[in-house]
Amino acid sequence: MKDTDAFEKMEHDGWTDPATAQGYADGFDLATKLVAKRLAEEVLAGPNVDVLDLCTGHGVVARELLERQANVTGLDFSPAMIALARQAAPGATFVQGDAMAMTFADNSFDAVTIGFGVPHFPDPEQGLREVARVLKPGGRIAFSIWRGKASKGAFGWLFDAIGRLGDPTVTLPPGPDAHLLADINIAEPMLVKTGFTGIKLSDVASQLWVQGPEALFSAFDEGAVRAAALLGAQSEERREAIRADLAARVWSEGTKVESGFLVPAPSVLLSAVKV
Ligand SMILES: C[S@@+](CC[C@H](N)C(=O)[O-])C[C@H]1O[C@@H](n2cnc3c(N)ncnc32)[C@H](O)[C@@H]1O
């Protein structure tokens, strides 16, 4: 029994729920599309490049890689996500599996992309070690992480609202901080230790699209796992207070567009080369 077993189960059960998979695809599509382009560029995806898209989710990165004519394999442990990915990127091959222990042979791929998947790993170092194992020497990794609690945007607002208005006794199964590797001082030594060089971090001004101010709460409540678990354990009164707080932020700091609101959701993109 590992310390992170309960965390691992929460993540697995959450993402395999078809409602969460669809909720994520609906709530986070714009932000993930913006970042998917950057991931594909960073690994130099193109014809005859074999790319593994880990934690492929609803296939947003796989589709971007295919548009660049790469050979794409997508891996995810959620059959519900793989079903969405097959619709989004019919030219890719999809495999159901665990990123922590993949069945691919050593040195199988030229590049690995991971769009917002690393925050869900029970052991990020083991995940990066697995990526290094399946990459060819000189192969490229690119992955994205949301900026967390201190950021000016959706995730910062969420944790701020939960901190002020949520029940302080609500806790989650222990697991790594979801925003850990957005800190280059933590990411760089971990990437070096797991077999990478040429490490770069760049900020991405990603944005979420929501139909209305109250929909930001719903995006987290219906399309996330850890955030949804934190919100789901609150009383109805506290949930309403958090919902209203987030809605006020969207009104004051979001950008009104014809179809709804754009909300800042800053993220970072990390890239490196296998030694
Ligand atoms: C936040 S979604 C990201 C989806 C997509 N890559 C994107 O850029 O939007 C995280 C995905 O990682 C998958 N996932 C999380 N942990 C995993 C693991 N250990 N092995 C395989 N897939 C995992 C989930 O099922 C989910 O589809």
Side-chain angles (χ1 to χ4, degrees), residues 155-197:
F155 287 82
W157 303 345
L158 174 74
F159 292 115
D160 176 55
I162 292 176
R164 282 183 293 107
L165 305 165
D167 178 347
T169 65
V170 168
T171 55
L172 293 180
D177 180 333
H179 311 280
L180 190 70
L181 295 188
D183 180 349
I184 190 68
N185 296 314
I186 294 175
E188 187 160 28
M190 197 183 287
L191 281 158
V192 168
K193 187 174 173 195
T194 49
F196 293 94
T197 185

Side-chain angles (χ1 to χ4, degrees), residues 32-243:
T32 58
K33 255 188 205 142
L34 296 171
V35 177
K37 276 199 185 315
R38 298 280 304 273
L39 290 169
E41 276 165 21
E42 205 60 50
V43 298
L44 310 178
N48 303 318
V49 180
D50 293 329
V51 188
L52 171 63
D53 182 41
L54 268 188
C55 299
T56 196
H58 60 307
V60 66
V61 185
R63 185 174 54 212
E64 187 64 38
L65 295 165
L66 282 179
E67 276 172 19
R68 288 162 187 264
Q69 296 170 38
N71 306 322
V72 184
T73 305
L75 180 134
D76 204 288
F77 62 19
S78 165
M81 282 296 200
I82 288 181
L84 294 174
R86 286 209 166 99
Q87 289 170 21
T93 302
F94 291 101
V95 177
Q96 190 188 334
D98 186 352
M100 295 293 102
M102 296 187 274
T103 52
F104 304 118
D106 297 0
N107 306 328
S108 294
F109 296 98
D110 300 307
V112 172
T113 49
I114 322 175
F116 301 110
V118 175
H120 307 287
F121 289 173
D123 181 350
E125 192 174 311
Q126 168 59 18
L128 293 177
R129 206 172 287 118
E130 266 297 84
V131 171
R133 183 184 68 73
V134 302
L135 268 178
K136 296 175 189 165
R140 289 170 183 271
I141 180 175
F143 60 98
S144 53
I145 313 264
W146 303 111
R147 282 228 179 260
K149 293 191 169 70
S151 68
K152 288 190 170 49
F155 287 82
W157 303 345
L158 174 74
F159 292 115
D160 176 55
I162 292 176
R164 282 183 293 107
L165 305 165
D167 178 347
T169 65
V170 168
T171 55
L172 293 180
D177 180 333
H179 311 280
L180 190 70
L181 295 188
D183 180 349
I184 190 68
N185 296 314
I186 294 175
E188 187 160 28
M190 197 183 287
L191 281 158
V192 168
K193 187 174 173 195
T194 49
F196 293 94
T197 185
I199 295 139
K200 287 189 297 179
L201 178 149
S202 49
D203 278 283
V204 186
S206 23
Q207 293 182 305
L208 296 180
W209 170 85
V210 289
Q211 198 162 22
E214 305 235 323
L216 183 57
F217 178 94
S218 310
F220 288 117
D221 195 40
E222 294 164 20
V225 172
R226 253 196 267 206
L230 275 178
L231 295 173
Q234 307 293 333
S235 66
E236 211 37 61
E237 294 72 28
R238 287 185 190 273
R239 281 169 59 82
E240 285 317 309
I242 296 167
R243 190 194 306 272

